[in-house]
Amino acid sequence: DAGVTQSPTHLIKTRGQQVTLRCSPKSGHDTVSWYQQALGQGPQFIFQYYEEEERQRGNFPDRFSGHQFPNYSSELNVNALLLGDSALYLCASSLVSSSGNTIYFGEGSWLTVV
Amino acid sequence: LAKTTQPISMDSYEGQEVNITCSHNNIATNDYITWYQQFPSQGPRFIIQGYKTKVTNEVASLFIPADRKSSTLSLPRVSLSDTAVYYCLVGEGGSYIPTFGRGTSLIVHP
Protein backbone atom coordinates (compact mmCIF):
# COMPACT_ATOMS: atom_id res chain seq x y z
CA ASP A 1 0.00 0.00 0.00
CA ALA A 2 1.75 3.13 -1.22
CA GLY A 3 1.71 6.08 1.09
CA VAL A 4 1.63 9.70 0.02
CA THR A 5 4.12 10.33 -2.76
CA GLN A 6 5.45 13.70 -3.86
CA SER A 7 7.57 14.91 -6.73
CA PRO A 8 10.06 16.30 -7.28
CA THR A 9 11.98 15.80 -4.04
CA HIS A 10 14.27 18.77 -4.61
CA LEU A 11 14.29 21.65 -7.03
CA ILE A 12 15.90 25.01 -7.50
CA LYS A 13 14.11 27.92 -9.15
CA THR A 14 14.94 31.50 -9.90
CA ARG A 15 13.04 34.41 -8.39
CA GLY A 16 10.03 35.29 -10.57
CA GLN A 17 9.67 31.82 -12.04
CA GLN A 18 6.78 29.45 -11.56
CA VAL A 19 6.83 25.98 -10.01
CA THR A 20 4.50 22.98 -9.98
CA LEU A 21 4.66 20.32 -7.28
CA ARG A 22 2.80 17.05 -7.49
CA CYS A 23 1.22 14.71 -4.98
CA SER A 24 -0.43 11.30 -5.08
CA PRO A 25 -2.50 10.55 -1.97
CA LYS A 26 -2.43 7.38 0.04
CA SER A 27 -4.55 4.66 -1.50
CA GLY A 28 -8.20 5.09 -0.55
CA HIS A 29 -7.86 8.73 0.50
CA ASP A 30 -9.92 11.43 -1.18
CA THR A 31 -8.69 14.65 0.43
CA VAL A 32 -5.38 16.37 -0.16
CA SER A 33 -3.90 19.22 1.81
CA TRP A 34 -0.75 21.22 1.17
CA TYR A 35 1.56 22.70 3.77
CA GLN A 36 4.61 24.95 3.68
CA GLN A 37 7.31 24.38 6.27
CA ALA A 38 10.09 26.88 6.72
CA LEU A 39 13.26 25.86 8.51
CA GLY A 40 12.70 25.53 12.26
CA GLN A 41 8.94 26.08 12.03
CA GLY A 42 5.93 23.81 12.08
CA PRO A 43 4.05 23.15 8.85
CA GLN A 44 1.70 25.96 7.79
CA PHE A 45 -1.57 25.07 6.04
CA ILE A 46 -1.88 26.36 2.47
CA PHE A 47 -5.13 24.79 1.22
CA GLN A 48 -7.15 21.60 1.04
CA TYR A 49 -8.81 19.92 -1.92
CA TYR A 50 -11.76 17.56 -1.95
CA GLU A 51 -13.87 16.48 -4.92
CA GLU A 52 -11.61 18.55 -7.15
CA GLU A 53 -12.47 21.77 -5.36
CA GLU A 54 -10.63 23.94 -2.88
CA ARG A 55 -12.42 23.49 0.46
CA GLN A 56 -10.36 25.59 2.78
CA ARG A 57 -7.46 27.97 2.43
CA GLY A 58 -4.86 29.25 4.81
CA ASN A 59 -3.28 32.67 4.88
CA PHE A 60 -1.38 32.42 1.62
CA PRO A 61 -1.50 34.82 -1.37
CA ASP A 62 -3.16 34.04 -4.66
CA ARG A 63 0.25 33.21 -6.12
CA PHE A 64 -0.35 29.84 -4.52
CA SER A 65 -2.91 27.80 -6.41
CA GLY A 66 -3.76 24.17 -6.71
CA HIS A 67 -5.73 21.53 -8.46
CA GLN A 68 -7.11 18.11 -7.70
CA PHE A 69 -7.67 15.55 -10.41
CA PRO A 70 -10.41 12.88 -10.67
CA ASN A 71 -7.94 10.26 -9.40
CA TYR A 72 -7.49 12.43 -6.24
CA SER A 73 -3.92 13.40 -7.08
CA SER A 74 -3.07 17.05 -6.70
CA GLU A 75 -0.77 19.81 -7.85
CA LEU A 76 0.48 22.90 -6.08
CA ASN A 77 1.45 25.83 -8.27
CA VAL A 78 3.37 28.86 -7.11
CA ASN A 79 3.76 31.83 -9.45
CA ALA A 80 6.17 34.76 -9.31
CA LEU A 81 8.45 32.99 -6.87
CA LEU A 82 10.02 34.99 -4.08
CA LEU A 83 13.10 34.15 -2.07
CA GLY A 84 10.81 33.67 0.93
CA ASP A 85 9.02 30.83 -0.84
CA SER A 86 12.04 28.63 -0.19
CA ALA A 87 10.73 25.86 2.05
CA LEU A 88 9.71 22.24 2.36
CA TYR A 89 6.30 21.74 0.76
CA LEU A 90 4.33 18.90 2.26
CA CYS A 91 1.33 17.11 0.88
CA ALA A 92 -1.01 15.30 3.24
CA SER A 93 -3.93 13.04 2.47
CA SER A 94 -6.91 11.88 4.46
CA LEU A 95 -10.35 10.35 4.08
CA VAL A 96 -13.13 12.86 4.64
CA SER A 97 -15.48 10.26 6.06
CA SER A 98 -13.06 9.00 8.70
CA SER A 99 -14.05 9.59 12.30
CA GLY A 100 -10.60 10.34 13.57
CA ASN A 101 -8.21 12.88 12.23
CA THR A 102 -5.41 10.73 10.90
CA ILE A 103 -3.62 12.59 8.16
CA TYR A 104 -0.71 11.05 6.32
CA PHE A 105 2.13 13.14 4.98
CA GLY A 106 4.50 12.67 2.11
CA GLU A 107 8.22 13.24 2.40
CA GLY A 108 7.94 16.68 0.88
CA SER A 109 9.42 18.70 -1.94
CA TRP A 110 12.32 20.96 -1.09
CA LEU A 111 12.07 24.21 -3.03
CA THR A 112 14.99 26.61 -3.13
CA VAL A 113 14.46 30.00 -4.77
CA VAL A 114 17.62 31.84 -5.76
CA LEU B 1 -9.75 25.01 16.29
CA ALA B 2 -8.38 23.83 19.59
CA LYS B 3 -5.04 25.45 20.43
CA THR B 4 -2.31 23.25 21.80
CA THR B 5 0.64 24.06 24.04
CA GLN B 6 3.74 21.87 24.32
CA PRO B 7 7.22 22.32 25.77
CA ILE B 8 9.61 23.69 23.19
CA SER B 9 12.34 21.18 23.95
CA MET B 10 13.21 18.17 26.07
CA ASP B 11 16.36 16.19 26.71
CA SER B 12 16.64 12.53 27.64
CA TYR B 13 19.08 9.63 27.61
CA GLU B 14 19.00 6.34 25.84
CA GLY B 15 16.88 3.73 27.59
CA GLN B 16 14.78 6.22 29.54
CA GLU B 17 11.05 6.73 29.26
CA VAL B 18 10.04 10.11 27.88
CA ASN B 19 6.71 11.77 28.55
CA ILE B 20 5.66 14.81 26.52
CA THR B 21 2.56 16.61 27.73
CA CYS B 22 0.32 18.72 25.53
CA SER B 23 -2.33 21.13 26.83
CA HIS B 24 -5.54 21.65 24.84
CA ASN B 25 -7.93 23.42 27.18
CA ASN B 26 -10.60 24.21 24.58
CA ILE B 27 -10.83 20.75 23.04
CA ALA B 28 -14.25 20.09 21.54
CA THR B 29 -16.44 17.06 22.17
CA ASN B 30 -15.76 15.52 18.76
CA ASP B 31 -12.03 16.25 18.69
CA TYR B 32 -9.42 13.54 18.56
CA ILE B 33 -5.83 13.96 19.73
CA THR B 34 -3.08 12.94 17.35
CA TRP B 35 0.69 12.97 17.71
CA TYR B 36 3.19 13.16 14.89
CA GLN B 37 6.95 12.71 14.76
CA GLN B 38 9.12 14.61 12.32
CA PHE B 39 12.76 14.07 11.46
CA PRO B 40 14.75 16.82 9.72
CA SER B 41 13.91 17.19 6.04
CA GLN B 42 11.12 14.59 6.21
CA GLY B 43 7.35 14.78 6.41
CA PRO B 44 5.60 14.31 9.76
CA ARG B 45 4.88 10.70 10.59
CA PHE B 46 1.75 9.55 12.42
CA ILE B 47 2.56 8.07 15.84
CA ILE B 48 -0.68 7.60 17.73
CA GLN B 49 -4.21 8.88 18.06
CA GLY B 50 -6.73 8.77 20.86
CA TYR B 51 -10.02 10.15 22.11
CA LYS B 52 -10.03 9.30 25.81
CA THR B 53 -8.30 7.19 28.48
CA LYS B 54 -5.29 5.28 27.21
CA VAL B 55 -4.16 4.11 23.80
CA THR B 56 -1.10 1.98 23.18
CA ASN B 57 0.58 0.81 20.00
CA GLU B 58 3.93 -0.71 19.15
CA VAL B 59 5.83 2.56 19.47
CA ALA B 60 4.07 4.72 22.07
CA SER B 61 1.28 5.20 24.56
CA LEU B 62 -1.11 8.08 24.80
CA PHE B 63 -2.68 9.02 28.11
CA ILE B 64 -5.75 11.24 28.15
CA PRO B 65 -7.37 12.26 31.45
CA ALA B 66 -11.11 12.34 31.89
CA ASP B 67 -11.42 16.07 31.23
CA ARG B 68 -9.40 15.69 27.99
CA LYS B 69 -7.79 19.09 28.50
CA SER B 70 -4.34 17.59 28.17
CA SER B 71 -2.64 14.49 26.86
CA THR B 72 0.70 12.81 27.41
CA LEU B 73 2.70 10.97 24.81
CA SER B 74 4.87 8.32 26.41
CA LEU B 75 7.87 6.88 24.57
CA PRO B 76 9.29 3.84 26.36
CA ARG B 77 13.06 3.27 26.40
CA VAL B 78 14.03 5.92 23.88
CA SER B 79 17.00 5.51 21.58
CA LEU B 80 19.11 8.00 19.65
CA SER B 81 16.83 7.49 16.66
CA ASP B 82 13.92 8.98 18.61
CA THR B 83 15.58 12.39 18.40
CA ALA B 84 12.97 14.38 16.48
CA VAL B 85 10.27 17.03 16.75
CA TYR B 86 6.96 15.82 18.16
CA TYR B 87 3.70 17.59 17.36
CA CYS B 88 0.40 17.33 19.22
CA LEU B 89 -2.70 18.12 17.15
CA VAL B 90 -6.37 18.26 18.00
CA GLY B 91 -9.31 18.12 15.64
CA GLU B 92 -12.17 16.02 14.32
CA GLY B 93 -12.92 14.07 11.22
CA GLY B 94 -10.97 13.50 8.06
CA SER B 95 -11.59 16.95 6.66
CA TYR B 96 -10.36 19.06 9.54
CA ILE B 97 -7.28 21.20 9.12
CA PRO B 98 -4.58 20.32 11.66
CA THR B 99 -2.85 23.39 13.00
CA PHE B 100 0.77 22.80 13.83
CA GLY B 101 2.60 24.68 16.52
CA ARG B 102 6.38 24.53 16.81
CA GLY B 103 6.26 21.13 18.44
CA THR B 104 8.59 19.66 21.04
CA SER B 105 12.17 19.07 20.01
CA LEU B 106 13.32 15.91 21.77
CA ILE B 107 17.04 15.23 21.94
CA VAL B 108 18.15 11.81 23.13
CA HIS B 109 21.70 11.64 24.42
CA PRO B 110 23.94 8.55 24.52
Side-chain angles (χ1 to χ4, degrees), chain A residues 56-79:
Chain A
Q56 296 191 52
R57 188 178 184 94
N59 188 26
F60 279 80
D62 292 344
R63 298 187 297 108
F64 290 77
S65 63
H67 188 78
Q68 185 179 35
F69 300 94
N71 67 352
Y72 306 118
S73 67
S74 176
E75 288 182 350
L76 164 66
N77 300 291
V78 186
N79 295 321

PDB file of all heavy atoms in Angstrom, chain A residues 56-79:
ATOM      1  N   GLN A  56     -10.811  24.615   1.798  1.00  0.00           N
ATOM      2  CA  GLN A  56     -10.365  25.594   2.780  1.00  0.00           C
ATOM      3  C   GLN A  56      -9.015  26.132   2.339  1.00  0.00           C
ATOM      4  O   GLN A  56      -8.272  25.458   1.624  1.00  0.00           O
ATOM      5  CB  GLN A  56     -10.260  24.972   4.176  1.00  0.00           C
ATOM      6  CG  GLN A  56     -11.569  24.499   4.739  1.00  0.00           C
ATOM      7  CD  GLN A  56     -11.460  24.134   6.204  1.00  0.00           C
ATOM      8  OE1 GLN A  56     -10.991  24.908   7.018  1.00  0.00           O
ATOM      9  NE2 GLN A  56     -11.898  22.935   6.544  1.00  0.00           N
ATOM     10  N   ARG A  57      -8.709  27.331   2.808  1.00  0.00           N
ATOM     11  CA  ARG A  57      -7.459  27.972   2.433  1.00  0.00           C
ATOM     12  C   ARG A  57      -6.854  28.661   3.640  1.00  0.00           C
ATOM     13  O   ARG A  57      -7.581  29.275   4.434  1.00  0.00           O
ATOM     14  CB  ARG A  57      -7.706  28.988   1.314  1.00  0.00           C
ATOM     15  CG  ARG A  57      -6.430  29.564   0.729  1.00  0.00           C
ATOM     16  CD  ARG A  57      -6.725  30.534  -0.401  1.00  0.00           C
ATOM     17  NE  ARG A  57      -5.476  31.006  -1.016  1.00  0.00           N
ATOM     18  CZ  ARG A  57      -4.921  30.450  -2.068  1.00  0.00           C
ATOM     19  NH1 ARG A  57      -5.494  29.426  -2.667  1.00  0.00           N
ATOM     20  NH2 ARG A  57      -3.791  30.916  -2.565  1.00  0.00           N
ATOM     21  N   GLY A  58      -5.574  28.558   3.751  1.00  0.00           N
ATOM     22  CA  GLY A  58      -4.862  29.253   4.808  1.00  0.00           C
ATOM     23  C   GLY A  58      -4.492  30.649   4.373  1.00  0.00           C
ATOM     24  O   GLY A  58      -4.936  31.143   3.333  1.00  0.00           O
ATOM     25  N   ASN A  59      -3.650  31.289   5.138  1.00  0.00           N
ATOM     26  CA  ASN A  59      -3.282  32.674   4.882  1.00  0.00           C
ATOM     27  C   ASN A  59      -2.118  32.757   3.896  1.00  0.00           C
ATOM     28  O   ASN A  59      -1.006  33.146   4.248  1.00  0.00           O
ATOM     29  CB  ASN A  59      -2.922  33.349   6.214  1.00  0.00           C
ATOM     30  CG  ASN A  59      -2.719  34.835   6.051  1.00  0.00           C
ATOM     31  OD1 ASN A  59      -3.274  35.430   5.136  1.00  0.00           O
ATOM     32  ND2 ASN A  59      -1.913  35.411   6.916  1.00  0.00           N
ATOM     33  N   PHE A  60      -2.382  32.377   2.668  1.00  0.00           N
ATOM     34  CA  PHE A  60      -1.381  32.425   1.617  1.00  0.00           C
ATOM     35  C   PHE A  60      -1.923  33.238   0.446  1.00  0.00           C
ATOM     36  O   PHE A  60      -3.116  33.201   0.154  1.00  0.00           O
ATOM     37  CB  PHE A  60      -1.005  31.008   1.146  1.00  0.00           C
ATOM     38  CG  PHE A  60      -0.021  30.330   2.045  1.00  0.00           C
ATOM     39  CD1 PHE A  60      -0.437  29.736   3.220  1.00  0.00           C
ATOM     40  CD2 PHE A  60       1.324  30.303   1.718  1.00  0.00           C
ATOM     41  CE1 PHE A  60       0.474  29.125   4.073  1.00  0.00           C
ATOM     42  CE2 PHE A  60       2.245  29.690   2.553  1.00  0.00           C
ATOM     43  CZ  PHE A  60       1.820  29.100   3.733  1.00  0.00           C
ATOM     44  N   PRO A  61      -1.036  33.978  -0.247  1.00  0.00           N
ATOM     45  CA  PRO A  61      -1.496  34.821  -1.366  1.00  0.00           C
ATOM     46  C   PRO A  61      -1.969  33.996  -2.551  1.00  0.00           C
ATOM     47  O   PRO A  61      -1.736  32.787  -2.629  1.00  0.00           O
ATOM     48  CB  PRO A  61      -0.235  35.628  -1.715  1.00  0.00           C
ATOM     49  CG  PRO A  61       0.903  34.793  -1.248  1.00  0.00           C
ATOM     50  CD  PRO A  61       0.417  34.089  -0.012  1.00  0.00           C
ATOM     51  N   ASP A  62      -2.603  34.695  -3.477  1.00  0.00           N
ATOM     52  CA  ASP A  62      -3.161  34.036  -4.661  1.00  0.00           C
ATOM     53  C   ASP A  62      -2.087  33.459  -5.571  1.00  0.00           C
ATOM     54  O   ASP A  62      -2.407  32.697  -6.496  1.00  0.00           O
ATOM     55  CB  ASP A  62      -4.009  35.037  -5.458  1.00  0.00           C
ATOM     56  CG  ASP A  62      -5.264  35.422  -4.703  1.00  0.00           C
ATOM     57  OD1 ASP A  62      -5.617  34.698  -3.750  1.00  0.00           O
ATOM     58  OD2 ASP A  62      -5.891  36.434  -5.058  1.00  0.00           O
ATOM     59  N   ARG A  63      -0.835  33.818  -5.332  1.00  0.00           N
ATOM     60  CA  ARG A  63       0.253  33.210  -6.124  1.00  0.00           C
ATOM     61  C   ARG A  63       0.288  31.700  -5.923  1.00  0.00           C
ATOM     62  O   ARG A  63       0.829  30.970  -6.753  1.00  0.00           O
ATOM     63  CB  ARG A  63       1.608  33.789  -5.706  1.00  0.00           C
ATOM     64  CG  ARG A  63       1.778  35.272  -5.920  1.00  0.00           C
ATOM     65  CD  ARG A  63       3.214  35.695  -5.625  1.00  0.00           C
ATOM     66  NE  ARG A  63       3.622  35.488  -4.241  1.00  0.00           N
ATOM     67  CZ  ARG A  63       4.473  34.544  -3.845  1.00  0.00           C
ATOM     68  NH1 ARG A  63       5.030  33.731  -4.721  1.00  0.00           N
ATOM     69  NH2 ARG A  63       4.805  34.438  -2.563  1.00  0.00           N
ATOM     70  N   PHE A  64      -0.280  31.269  -4.819  1.00  0.00           N
ATOM     71  CA  PHE A  64      -0.353  29.840  -4.521  1.00  0.00           C
ATOM     72  C   PHE A  64      -1.714  29.327  -5.005  1.00  0.00           C
ATOM     73  O   PHE A  64      -2.761  29.811  -4.557  1.00  0.00           O
ATOM     74  CB  PHE A  64      -0.212  29.597  -3.025  1.00  0.00           C
ATOM     75  CG  PHE A  64       1.161  29.869  -2.486  1.00  0.00           C
ATOM     76  CD1 PHE A  64       1.597  31.166  -2.272  1.00  0.00           C
ATOM     77  CD2 PHE A  64       2.022  28.822  -2.196  1.00  0.00           C
ATOM     78  CE1 PHE A  64       2.876  31.418  -1.786  1.00  0.00           C
ATOM     79  CE2 PHE A  64       3.293  29.054  -1.707  1.00  0.00           C
ATOM     80  CZ  PHE A  64       3.725  30.361  -1.501  1.00  0.00           C
ATOM     81  N   SER A  65      -1.671  28.388  -5.902  1.00  0.00           N
ATOM     82  CA  SER A  65      -2.907  27.800  -6.410  1.00  0.00           C
ATOM     83  C   SER A  65      -2.728  26.291  -6.517  1.00  0.00           C
ATOM     84  O   SER A  65      -1.612  25.782  -6.462  1.00  0.00           O
ATOM     85  CB  SER A  65      -3.273  28.384  -7.770  1.00  0.00           C
ATOM     86  OG  SER A  65      -2.277  28.062  -8.726  1.00  0.00           O
ATOM     87  N   GLY A  66      -3.857  25.621  -6.663  1.00  0.00           N
ATOM     88  CA  GLY A  66      -3.765  24.171  -6.714  1.00  0.00           C
ATOM     89  C   GLY A  66      -4.824  23.568  -7.592  1.00  0.00           C
ATOM     90  O   GLY A  66      -5.670  24.261  -8.183  1.00  0.00           O
ATOM     91  N   HIS A  67      -4.753  22.267  -7.660  1.00  0.00           N
ATOM     92  CA  HIS A  67      -5.727  21.532  -8.460  1.00  0.00           C
ATOM     93  C   HIS A  67      -5.786  20.109  -7.943  1.00  0.00           C
ATOM     94  O   HIS A  67      -4.770  19.563  -7.483  1.00  0.00           O
ATOM     95  CB  HIS A  67      -5.281  21.530  -9.931  1.00  0.00           C
ATOM     96  CG  HIS A  67      -6.295  20.964 -10.859  1.00  0.00           C
ATOM     97  ND1 HIS A  67      -7.400  21.658 -11.275  1.00  0.00           N
ATOM     98  CD2 HIS A  67      -6.383  19.735 -11.443  1.00  0.00           C
ATOM     99  CE1 HIS A  67      -8.121  20.894 -12.078  1.00  0.00           C
ATOM    100  NE2 HIS A  67      -7.526  19.738 -12.197  1.00  0.00           N
ATOM    101  N   GLN A  68      -6.977  19.524  -8.002  1.00  0.00           N
ATOM    102  CA  GLN A  68      -7.109  18.107  -7.697  1.00  0.00           C
ATOM    103  C   GLN A  68      -7.741  17.406  -8.898  1.00  0.00           C
ATOM    104  O   GLN A  68      -8.725  17.904  -9.462  1.00  0.00           O
ATOM    105  CB  GLN A  68      -7.965  17.863  -6.448  1.00  0.00           C
ATOM    106  CG  GLN A  68      -8.002  16.382  -6.050  1.00  0.00           C
ATOM    107  CD  GLN A  68      -8.826  16.120  -4.806  1.00  0.00           C
ATOM    108  OE1 GLN A  68      -9.839  16.786  -4.578  1.00  0.00           O
ATOM    109  NE2 GLN A  68      -8.410  15.152  -4.005  1.00  0.00           N
ATOM    110  N   PHE A  69      -7.211  16.294  -9.246  1.00  0.00           N
ATOM    111  CA  PHE A  69      -7.673  15.548 -10.410  1.00  0.00           C
ATOM    112  C   PHE A  69      -8.673  14.470 -10.004  1.00  0.00           C
ATOM    113  O   PHE A  69      -8.774  14.124  -8.822  1.00  0.00           O
ATOM    114  CB  PHE A  69      -6.469  14.946 -11.129  1.00  0.00           C
ATOM    115  CG  PHE A  69      -5.487  15.974 -11.602  1.00  0.00           C
ATOM    116  CD1 PHE A  69      -4.397  16.320 -10.824  1.00  0.00           C
ATOM    117  CD2 PHE A  69      -5.655  16.618 -12.814  1.00  0.00           C
ATOM    118  CE1 PHE A  69      -3.494  17.290 -11.248  1.00  0.00           C
ATOM    119  CE2 PHE A  69      -4.765  17.577 -13.249  1.00  0.00           C
ATOM    120  CZ  PHE A  69      -3.681  17.921 -12.461  1.00  0.00           C
ATOM    121  N   PRO A  70      -9.408  13.914 -11.000  1.00  0.00           N
ATOM    122  CA  PRO A  70     -10.409  12.879 -10.674  1.00  0.00           C
ATOM    123  C   PRO A  70      -9.828  11.678  -9.935  1.00  0.00           C
ATOM    124  O   PRO A  70     -10.546  11.008  -9.191  1.00  0.00           O
ATOM    125  CB  PRO A  70     -10.950  12.487 -12.051  1.00  0.00           C
ATOM    126  CG  PRO A  70     -10.781  13.711 -12.879  1.00  0.00           C
ATOM    127  CD  PRO A  70      -9.485  14.329 -12.409  1.00  0.00           C
ATOM    128  N   ASN A  71      -8.552  11.397 -10.111  1.00  0.00           N
ATOM    129  CA  ASN A  71      -7.945  10.264  -9.397  1.00  0.00           C
ATOM    130  C   ASN A  71      -7.435  10.683  -8.010  1.00  0.00           C
ATOM    131  O   ASN A  71      -6.706   9.930  -7.371  1.00  0.00           O
ATOM    132  CB  ASN A  71      -6.809   9.658 -10.222  1.00  0.00           C
ATOM    133  CG  ASN A  71      -5.628  10.602 -10.375  1.00  0.00           C
ATOM    134  OD1 ASN A  71      -5.707  11.774  -9.993  1.00  0.00           O
ATOM    135  ND2 ASN A  71      -4.552  10.112 -10.942  1.00  0.00           N
ATOM    136  N   TYR A  72      -7.803  11.862  -7.559  1.00  0.00           N
ATOM    137  CA  TYR A  72      -7.489  12.435  -6.239  1.00  0.00           C
ATOM    138  C   TYR A  72      -6.074  12.993  -6.131  1.00  0.00           C
ATOM    139  O   TYR A  72      -5.767  13.628  -5.117  1.00  0.00           O
ATOM    140  CB  TYR A  72      -7.720  11.435  -5.097  1.00  0.00           C
ATOM    141  CG  TYR A  72      -9.098  10.837  -5.101  1.00  0.00           C
ATOM    142  CD1 TYR A  72      -9.285   9.465  -5.266  1.00  0.00           C
ATOM    143  CD2 TYR A  72     -10.219  11.633  -4.942  1.00  0.00           C
ATOM    144  CE1 TYR A  72     -10.547   8.908  -5.283  1.00  0.00           C
ATOM    145  CE2 TYR A  72     -11.497  11.082  -4.952  1.00  0.00           C
ATOM    146  CZ  TYR A  72     -11.659   9.725  -5.126  1.00  0.00           C
ATOM    147  OH  TYR A  72     -12.916   9.177  -5.139  1.00  0.00           O
ATOM    148  N   SER A  73      -5.239  12.788  -7.136  1.00  0.00           N
ATOM    149  CA  SER A  73      -3.917  13.399  -7.079  1.00  0.00           C
ATOM    150  C   SER A  73      -4.050  14.914  -7.151  1.00  0.00           C
ATOM    151  O   SER A  73      -5.106  15.449  -7.522  1.00  0.00           O
ATOM    152  CB  SER A  73      -3.030  12.874  -8.195  1.00  0.00           C
ATOM    153  OG  SER A  73      -3.516  13.305  -9.455  1.00  0.00           O
ATOM    154  N   SER A  74      -2.968  15.595  -6.816  1.00  0.00           N
ATOM    155  CA  SER A  74      -3.074  17.051  -6.705  1.00  0.00           C
ATOM    156  C   SER A  74      -1.782  17.725  -7.148  1.00  0.00           C
ATOM    157  O   SER A  74      -0.715  17.110  -7.160  1.00  0.00           O
ATOM    158  CB  SER A  74      -3.395  17.432  -5.260  1.00  0.00           C
ATOM    159  OG  SER A  74      -3.431  18.837  -5.074  1.00  0.00           O
ATOM    160  N   GLU A  75      -1.910  18.963  -7.521  1.00  0.00           N
ATOM    161  CA  GLU A  75      -0.767  19.813  -7.852  1.00  0.00           C
ATOM    162  C   GLU A  75      -0.830  21.099  -7.049  1.00  0.00           C
ATOM    163  O   GLU A  75      -1.920  21.621  -6.769  1.00  0.00           O
ATOM    164  CB  GLU A  75      -0.766  20.165  -9.343  1.00  0.00           C
ATOM    165  CG  GLU A  75      -0.405  19.041 -10.271  1.00  0.00           C
ATOM    166  CD  GLU A  75      -0.369  19.479 -11.717  1.00  0.00           C
ATOM    167  OE1 GLU A  75      -0.808  20.608 -12.023  1.00  0.00           O
ATOM    168  OE2 GLU A  75       0.105  18.683 -12.546  1.00  0.00           O
ATOM    169  N   LEU A  76       0.337  21.588  -6.692  1.00  0.00           N
ATOM    170  CA  LEU A  76       0.478  22.905  -6.079  1.00  0.00           C
ATOM    171  C   LEU A  76       1.288  23.759  -7.039  1.00  0.00           C
ATOM    172  O   LEU A  76       2.368  23.340  -7.459  1.00  0.00           O
ATOM    173  CB  LEU A  76       1.196  22.794  -4.727  1.00  0.00           C
ATOM    174  CG  LEU A  76       1.755  24.097  -4.134  1.00  0.00           C
ATOM    175  CD1 LEU A  76       0.625  25.043  -3.770  1.00  0.00           C
ATOM    176  CD2 LEU A  76       2.612  23.803  -2.908  1.00  0.00           C
ATOM    177  N   ASN A  77       0.762  24.909  -7.390  1.00  0.00           N
ATOM    178  CA  ASN A  77       1.451  25.830  -8.268  1.00  0.00           C
ATOM    179  C   ASN A  77       1.771  27.116  -7.517  1.00  0.00           C
ATOM    180  O   ASN A  77       0.922  27.641  -6.780  1.00  0.00           O
ATOM    181  CB  ASN A  77       0.585  26.181  -9.482  1.00  0.00           C
ATOM    182  CG  ASN A  77       0.222  24.966 -10.300  1.00  0.00           C
ATOM    183  OD1 ASN A  77       1.078  24.363 -10.937  1.00  0.00           O
ATOM    184  ND2 ASN A  77      -1.046  24.576 -10.263  1.00  0.00           N
ATOM    185  N   VAL A  78       2.984  27.578  -7.695  1.00  0.00           N
ATOM    186  CA  VAL A  78       3.370  28.863  -7.108  1.00  0.00           C
ATOM    187  C   VAL A  78       3.923  29.737  -8.221  1.00  0.00           C
ATOM    188  O   VAL A  78       4.872  29.343  -8.902  1.00  0.00           O
ATOM    189  CB  VAL A  78       4.412  28.703  -5.991  1.00  0.00           C
ATOM    190  CG1 VAL A  78       4.657  30.053  -5.314  1.00  0.00           C
ATOM    191  CG2 VAL A  78       3.973  27.670  -4.974  1.00  0.00           C
ATOM    192  N   ASN A  79       3.322  30.894  -8.408  1.00  0.00           N
ATOM    193  CA  ASN A  79       3.757  31.830  -9.446  1.00  0.00           C
ATOM    194  C   ASN A  79       4.623  32.935  -8.842  1.00  0.00           C
ATOM    195  O   ASN A  79       4.583  33.186  -7.631  1.00  0.00           O
ATOM    196  CB  ASN A  79       2.541  32.469 -10.127  1.00  0.00           C
ATOM    197  CG  ASN A  79       1.715  31.458 -10.881  1.00  0.00           C
ATOM    198  OD1 ASN A  79       2.256  30.555 -11.519  1.00  0.00           O
ATOM    199  ND2 ASN A  79       0.399  31.580 -10.793  1.00  0.00           N
TER     200      ASN A  79
END
